Amino acid sequence: MDVAQLETSIDRGSTDIPLIEQTIGDFFDAMAARVPDNAALVSCHQQLRYSYRELQREANRLASALLAIGIRPGDRVGIWSHNNAQWLLTQIATAKAGVVLVNINPAYRIAELEYALNKVGCKALITMTSFKTSDYLAMVREIMPEIVASSPGQLKASRAPSLSTVIHLGECDEPGIMRFTDLMARGNPDDADLKGIAGTLRNTDPINIQFTSGTTGFPKGATLTHRNVLNNGFFIGEAMRLSAEDRLCIPVPLYHCFGMVLGNLACLTHGATIVYPNDAFDPLSVLQAVQDERCTGLHGVPTMFIAELDHPRFAEFDLSTLRTGIMAGSPCPIEVMKRVVSDMHMSEVTIAYGMTETSPVSCQSTTDTPLEKRVSTVGRVQPHLEVKIADPENGKPVAIGVTGELCTRGYSVMHGYWDDPQKTAEAIDSEGWMHTGDLAVMDAEGYVNIAGRIKDMVIRGGENIYPREIEEFLYRHPAVQDVQVIGVPDRKYGEELCAWVIRRPDASVTEDELRDFCKGQIAHYKIPRYIRFVDSFPMTVTGKVQKFRMRELMKDELKIDEDKTA
């Protein structure tokens, strides 16, 4: 590939293909008209299949139903669910109705759900009923104990005052809570009001909110527009050379940009087929779906690919139809990439890098990126975007090969953090650059390598975890005087959480008691695996906690060789 030599660490993507300036609904309708009979969705665990025409009709029905229950353009509707056909229908329907879809992590528990609903003022919530040992409706009832059974779907929400309607995805009757099937029955796929609304929507309207934590410990609502996610999904698909002949297996969660943008929108912008192997990740169901549905693409974080490759029945499956996909979410080990290429036939697998605030992908390798570059970098800047490696002190691009902060500018930069102009201004500078907080290096050809993190974010199995959020929660325990949370290397998950805790004088608490305090209140992956009770933290002379020193001490205690975990 002929790539110009750069003089400083700033690069601009190609502009050969113009940006899409339509809304998601308009673009999807045009695609449905182009490939009406092509398979749009296969939900294996639900045994559901939709053509593009059928998916369009059902999405229109749901959009009409949302209008029928009083949802209006600009209102926020939350979805708290694992992967299923209803998730995709909701994604398309809310966009068509001009409603802001709020992604809520299924691992959230009561405190996190309550915060999310109130932070953005959700008017309605679509939720699972249960999953494994988690009772989602019980958690909803704890937040909203006074259910008015005489008015189905209408709730008196004592802890979430903006929430008026809850819809569940089960089939059982639940007092005061509407079934999704009953909601759909209220919709008209030929609703004239829906067509009227479509004409009033702009592609710069906010259409999605995803929660991302920060150093304050409180999740921020990254707000994305039609233009943000539709274009990002399209150019991601272009990098993979997707077409209407492709079938993409998506085991990554839809509540995250990986699923809904790199997965759903990459497919829908190319007439390709979306394949959900299961509601949540299971390596065996992924292998089965790839074989049965003859998938040509597969997404995943490194831990997912490792679980598939190492499954005892791996050799039984025919994966010869695979050619492409994306590995992202956390640093991709070189040896794993090589096995994916050789053992899973994914000769055109790509690597993507980004963050929720940039819709999310800023850099990506392509199907013809040399393998050496694909396994050692996150590729080059995406079309219509700029990336620079900046000196954190002055924001100016550093020299080629010098480490600095990766910044992104262009159409993908978020609308802002919901109702938080101060945090938005801290993240996006006056010149429009989104500061990622990640340390990176750019070579002379524009390939970017992520070198580390300025922030102390922990990435556990593809989940971004911000220690301050965990610290803030643990501070609530009456026996905790002070707490610091760090990430320590882990062979399976990349990193695991470790909490150093200083107990209050004369207070008593055990490791198990602290973990029990967390259960049901914060997501399971945010509960520290390691807890150490200490008398003090390593500090600088100016009184700052040295988290890097804590990490080194834990590595020594646990006898972790970081090179072997990479």
Side-chain angles (χ1 to χ4, degrees):
M1 182 164 52
D2 184 22
V3 180
Q5 297 290 300
L6 301 173
E7 296 181 0
T8 58
S9 294
I10 185 167
D11 197 13
R12 295 171 179 83
S14 166
T15 57
D16 293 345
I17 301 174
L19 286 169
I20 299 167
E21 299 297 356
Q22 295 169 279
T23 62
I24 290 172
D26 286 347
F27 192 92
F28 175 70
D29 286 345
M31 183 59 70
R34 195 184 316 167
V35 291
D37 298 319
N38 206 42
L41 172 67
V42 178
S43 183
C44 298
H45 59 292
Q46 296 175 290
Q47 298 182 318
L48 282 175
R49 294 175 184 269
Y50 290 118
S51 67
Y52 269 81
R53 181 189 288 114
E54 291 166 339
L55 185 64
Q56 179 189 35
R57 188 164 182 82
E58 292 310 293
N60 286 347
R61 188 188 308 279
L62 177 55
S64 170
L66 291 173
L67 297 177
I69 63 169
I71 304 298
R72 294 290 176 263
D75 286 343
R76 276 75 65 202
V77 171
I79 185 162
W80 194 27
S81 171
H82 285 297
N83 295 9
N84 50 45
Q86 293 90 341
W87 213 109
L88 177 62
L89 286 172
T90 304
Q91 182 181 355
I92 300 170
T94 49
K96 280 174 163 283
V99 172
V100 181
L101 179 67
V102 181
N103 300 8
I104 301 177
N105 189 332
Y108 273 12
R109 292 301 176 258
I110 294 164
E112 297 152 316
L113 173 66
E114 181 181 350
Y115 176 85
L117 293 172
N118 288 325
K119 175 64 179 176
V120 302
C122 276
K123 192 170 181 179
L125 174 69
I126 298 171
T127 178
M128 296 185 291
T129 55
S130 61
F131 182 77
K132 294 184 178 179
T133 59
S134 298
D135 188 336
Y136 287 82
L137 290 183
M139 287 186 272
V140 169
R141 288 194 192 94
E142 184 160 338
I143 293 173
M144 291 150 287
E146 298 179 46
I147 297 175
V148 184
S150 61
S151 180
Q154 300 301 307
L155 304 179
K156 184 177 181 181
S158 56
R159 289 168 62 180
S162 63
L163 191 64
S164 60
T165 305
V166 172
I167 303 109
H168 76 89
L169 296 174
E171 287 302 318
C172 297
D173 286 326
E174 296 286 340
I177 299 179
M178 184 185 299
R179 293 185 300 185
F180 190 87
T181 50
D182 293 337
L183 173 66
M184 290 290 283
R186 298 191 180 198
N188 173 10
D190 300 312
D191 192 338
D193 288 344
L194 185 61
K195 294 176 182 177
I197 286 172
T200 69
L201 303 180
R202 298 173 301 170
N203 69 334
T204 52
D205 292 337
I207 205 64
N208 182 228
I209 295 174
Q210 301 195 33
F211 287 99
T212 178
S213 299
T215 54
T216 62
F218 297 102
K220 300 185 292 291
T223 306
L224 307 174
T225 67
H226 296 267
R227 193 171 191 260
N228 288 151
V229 295
L230 183 61
N231 280 288
N232 209 245
F234 173 76
F235 286 112
I236 287 163
E238 290 291 286
M240 298 167 63
R241 289 198 303 113
L242 283 185
S243 75
E245 304 302 313
D246 281 298
R247 300 170 69 84
L248 179 62
C249 184
I250 305 174
V252 294
L254 298 180
Y255 70 82
H256 190 277
C257 271
F258 202 165
M260 68 163 283
V261 180
L262 285 76
N264 288 351
L265 289 177
C267 286
L268 295 180
T269 52
H270 291 83
T273 304
I274 294 164
V275 178
Y276 299 149
N278 214 327
D279 45 8
F281 176 68
D282 170 68
L284 187 61
S285 65
V286 172
L287 297 170
Q288 192 75 56
V290 169
Q291 174 180 273
D292 293 351
E293 298 300 328
R294 299 188 62 77
C295 293
T296 58
L298 172 63
H299 283 357
V301 299
T303 51
M304 290 180 175
F305 282 106
I306 292 168
E308 292 150 13
L309 287 160
D310 292 345
H311 195 279
R313 293 183 56 193
F314 177 80
E316 297 178 24
F317 294 92
D318 179 4
L319 309 180
S320 61
T321 55
L322 286 174
R323 73 166 177 87
T324 190
I326 296 176
M327 191 186 300
S330 60
C332 305
I334 291 174
E335 291 306 313
V336 175
M337 272 289 290
K338 290 178 178 177
R339 289 177 67 193
V340 167
V341 170
S342 62
D343 299 351
M344 301 183 81
H345 309 281
M346 293 173 64
S347 59
E348 298 180 1
V349 66
T350 73
I351 298 294
Y353 163 82
M355 62 190 304
T356 304
E357 289 90 337
T358 54
S359 306
V361 172
S362 301
C363 297
Q364 187 178 358
S365 56
T366 63
T367 58
D368 58 356
T369 299
L371 184 61
E372 175 193 354
K373 294 289 190 182
R374 262 190 283 159
V375 300
S376 61
T377 76
V378 294
R380 300 182 66 231
V381 62
Q382 275 265 5
H384 292 276
L385 297 178
E386 295 176 89
V387 294
K388 69 174 177 178
I389 313 301
D391 184 329
E393 296 297 320
N394 58 32
K396 295 180 180 178
V398 297
I400 291 295
V402 174
T403 300
E405 183 183 16
L406 193 151
C407 300
T408 300
R409 182 166 68 179
Y411 78 83
S412 72
V413 174
M414 66 176 178
H415 185 76
Y417 292 121
W418 185 268
D419 196 28
D420 202 337
Q422 180 180 341
K423 292 299 178 186
T424 301
E426 290 173 7
I428 305 171
D429 68 26
S430 60
E431 296 180 340
W433 290 102
M434 176 74 208
H435 290 253
T436 69
D438 287 321
L439 295 170
V441 180
M442 184 182 291
D443 69 16
E445 293 180 311
Y447 288 100
V448 174
N449 183 48
I450 304 301
R453 296 187 293 278
I454 296 174
K455 304 170 185 176
D456 59 357
M457 181 178 71
V458 176
I459 301 179
R460 181 191 181 275
E463 294 281 4
N464 292 352
I465 306 172
Y466 295 80
R468 184 65 184 272
E469 182 183 357
I470 317 302
E471 291 163 1
E472 292 284 351
F473 181 78
L474 290 175
Y475 276 128
R476 301 182 189 179
H477 194 286
V480 173
Q481 181 182 72
D482 205 355
V483 58
Q484 294 290 325
V485 173
I486 58 171
V488 295
D490 181 77
R491 185 180 297 275
K492 181 177 180 181
Y493 292 107
E495 289 183 292
E496 278 280 12
L497 285 177
C498 172
W500 281 30
V501 177
I502 298 176
R503 284 179 282 217
R504 294 186 184 278
D506 303 319
S508 175
V509 64
T510 66
E511 292 181 31
D512 287 343
E513 286 169 346
L514 265 187
R515 292 193 186 94
D516 288 341
F517 177 72
C518 296
K519 289 176 182 176
Q521 295 296 321
I522 61 173
H524 66 89
Y525 63 80
K526 296 179 185 177
I527 300 175
R529 177 178 176 182
Y530 305 107
I531 296 175
R532 297 293 180 267
F533 295 105
V534 297
D535 296 322
S536 62
F537 305 130
M539 310 280 277
T540 67
V541 291
T542 57
K544 294 183 179 179
V545 176
Q546 296 177 307
K547 287 196 171 183
F548 74 92
R549 179 62 182 146
M550 293 166 55
R551 179 182 166 95
E552 292 299 319
L553 291 169
M554 287 304 301
K555 283 169 56 182
D556 291 342
E557 177 189 328
L558 299 170
K559 295 181 172 56
I560 294 172
D561 182 345
E562 194 161 6
D563 290 337
K564 292 181 179 178
T565 66

